[in-house]
Amino acid sequence: MDTAYFLQQLINGVTLGSVYGLIAIGYTMVYGIIGMINFAHGDIFMVGAFIALISFILFALTSIALPIVLLLTLLIAMVFTACYGWTVEKLAYKPLRKSFRLAPLISALGMSIVLQNYVQAAQGARIKTLQPVIQGGFTFMEDTGFTVSLSYLQIFIILVTIVLMAVFTLLITRTALGRAQRACEQDRTMTALMGINVDRTISITFIIGSSLASVAGMMFVMYYGVIDFYIGFLAGIKAFTAAVLGGIGSIPGAMLGGLLIGLIEVFWSGYISIEYKDIAAFTVLVVVLIFYPTGFLGKPDIEKV
Amino acid sequence: MTTKLLDVENLTMKFGGLVAIDDLSFSAAKDQITSIIGPNGAGKTTVFNCLTGFYKATAGSMFLNKENERLNLKKFSDFKVAQKAGVARTFQNIRLFPQMSVLENLMVAQHNKLMDASGFTILGLFNASSFVNKEKEAVEISKYWLDIIGLTHRADDDAGDLPYGDQRKLEIVRAMCINPHLLCLDEPAAGLNAKESAELNKLLLFIKNEKKTGILLIEHDMSVVMEISDHVVVLNYGKKIFQGSAKETKNSPAVIEAYLGTEE
């Protein structure tokens, strides 16, 4: 029974970690390129979840086959949420780019509140529910007394996450755009002098981060079936923790951090106490930062003298 | 024939009450190296900052003459200086992308044509042949320049790990990868030893003679200035006090006075 229970927690943890990882990439990319924590990113995730929910409900009225519904919802959520992310960047961060470092941080907090209240006003403050979209799954190890289940939904979430992360890793390492992004991270003035449109590169970064967060939002609403306008806060903080744990600025770090936070949370709930699961994740962060101040995969800031 | 590439006319730059550049006029030719020299604080770097859109000049004009158009450099700022006007520059301190490989530093400079070929990244992700070919072409160009500065064997190392002199040279060829009409170099010989500045001279002469790129050079190292410049402009307190060939400059009383002061 012990192995079965462990396996179940592992499956749940990886699923949750996928969601955190997708959000964390948005934090880490934005931090990497403009050195700012986008506090509105959790709320972008929430907006993505709402868009996915609305899209699912609308598609439920039609008789389109499930795989197509999933694909369309994914695209709709990504495109619309990317628009939100892009708008937030244009309105709240771009005008402050030459300002002091804290200014965009404060406008990010403002944007976070704006988005929450906007969704609250537009969609109501009550919890929204979604009927399970993907049902069924595999069960195994039934003879041990504890049945391990791996739902199709979990497989879907993990697969989509792996595919998206692979695509975006390719984008960063292989394409001209990714190269420009990495150049912006190191020296924006010099990047502009290479003839590269830095503002556009930053906007694209926000668009990529937001669309990944929207996928996380879609997974979240499918997995839990309930959302409200406030989910972005805790999920955002957890994903931010994940990004810091993995090493902020590093994309593989964000993925690793997301996975770790998901696993820690689930194992803590499964073995110790479900009430303190949030504290567990943050405590691990504190402990890790003592020994790895830049996170697991972060690059240490070397100052040359 | 010497064609004028850059015309700077009555350029003035004021910061509040401080006149950094005062009514400066000079021109630079397409196949020549034009050096701007002068004591510290003479306003040399300010000229570069005006040319590359960092500062908005208070008055005056700057024109870049291409084959069949005359560009007003005042209208270009930010990334358009390199992309549209074709002006590349380096800084007094080395500003490579230290955590990218040597090759990638040169590839970043070729971003715009690669971005076009990658169909805004989408084709690039699917490895479309148009993008792959352009990418190969860009790698070839990078290799060509690495060969010239003798750094081919270090192509995959981080640029920040190169020795100082090699970083200087890499920075100059990176600017050349933009395919500029005008190359503005701000003290490229600073901190180089005698052997390295000799190599730098060779590189700059190669760019001038083979690539027909106009070079504007700010430099304190007179071994570099006197050896390779075709034309020297001397600034002092933002004013042009002399211009002429390297030899004329060396013997000019005004220049000697600016550098050494007058005898009592």
Side-chain angles (χ1 to χ4, degrees), chain A residues 179 194, chain B residues 96-97 100-111 113-114 138-147 149 151-152 155 159 169-179:
Chain A
R179 201 151 41 216
M194 300 284 113
Chain B
L96 289 165
F97 303 114
M100 290 170 92
S101 75
V102 169
L103 179 65
E104 275 187 319
N105 266 277
L106 302 186
M107 298 289 281
V108 168
Q110 303 174 63
H111 173 81
K113 62 181 183 196
L114 290 174
V139 171
E140 285 309 315
I141 294 173
S142 310
K143 277 188 183 155
Y144 166 82
W145 281 109
L146 286 180
D147 254 356
I149 58 172
L151 283 181
T152 315
K169 283 190 283 184
L170 181 62
E171 205 176 25
I172 293 168
V173 296
R174 182 182 65 176
M176 283 307 294
C177 280
I178 303 169
N179 216 359

Side-chain angles (χ1 to χ4, degrees), chain B residues 167-231:
Chain B
Q167 292 196 21
R168 279 280 179 209
K169 283 190 283 184
L170 181 62
E171 205 176 25
I172 293 168
V173 296
R174 182 182 65 176
M176 283 307 294
C177 280
I178 303 169
N179 216 359
H181 291 84
L182 178 70
L183 181 61
C184 303
L185 302 174
D186 199 343
E187 293 193 30
L192 298 188
N193 61 32
K195 181 174 159 269
E196 285 167 333
S197 32
E199 283 172 8
L200 177 77
N201 285 356
K202 227 170 75 188
L203 175 64
L204 294 186
L205 287 174
F206 174 81
I207 291 172
K208 175 187 108 168
N209 295 329
E210 301 296 320
K211 298 289 147 191
K212 304 288 177 212
T213 304
I215 297 179
L216 209 56
L217 180 73
I218 292 177
E219 192 48 73
H220 282 298
D221 185 337
M222 287 304 147
S223 72
V224 172
V225 173
M226 294 307 160
E227 208 162 299
I228 62 172
S229 348
D230 300 290
H231 190 72

Side-chain angles (χ1 to χ4, degrees), chain A residues 280-292:
Chain A
F282 300 128
T283 310
V284 169
L285 174 73
V286 172
V287 173
V288 168
L289 286 186
I290 291 173
F291 296 103
Y292 298 90

Side-chain angles (χ1 to χ4, degrees), chain A residues 167 170-171 173-177 179-180 182-184 186-187 189-200 204 299 304, chain B residues 52 54 78-79 82-83 89 91 95 97-100 104 107-109 111-112 114-115 120-121 124-125 131 135 160 174 178:
Chain A
V167 167
L170 277 183
L171 191 147
T173 51
R174 295 276 173 83
T175 67
L177 172 68
R179 201 151 41 216
R182 282 178 290 138
C184 284
Q186 298 186 26
D187 192 336
T189 313
M190 211 57 229
T191 308
L193 282 173
M194 300 284 113
I196 296 174
N197 189 337
V198 172
D199 280 338
R200 190 195 279 162
I204 294 173
K299 290 177 219 118
K304 282 196 177 163
Chain B
T52 49
F54 278 78
D78 201 24
F79 68 97
Q83 193 197 38
R89 84 172 274 191
F91 288 89
R95 291 182 74 168
F97 303 114
Q99 283 158 11
M100 290 170 92
E104 275 187 319
M107 298 289 281
V108 168
H111 173 81
N112 285 312
L114 290 174
M115 200 66 179
F120 221 73
T121 305
L125 272 181
F131 176 69
E135 185 95 354
R174 182 182 65 176
I178 303 169

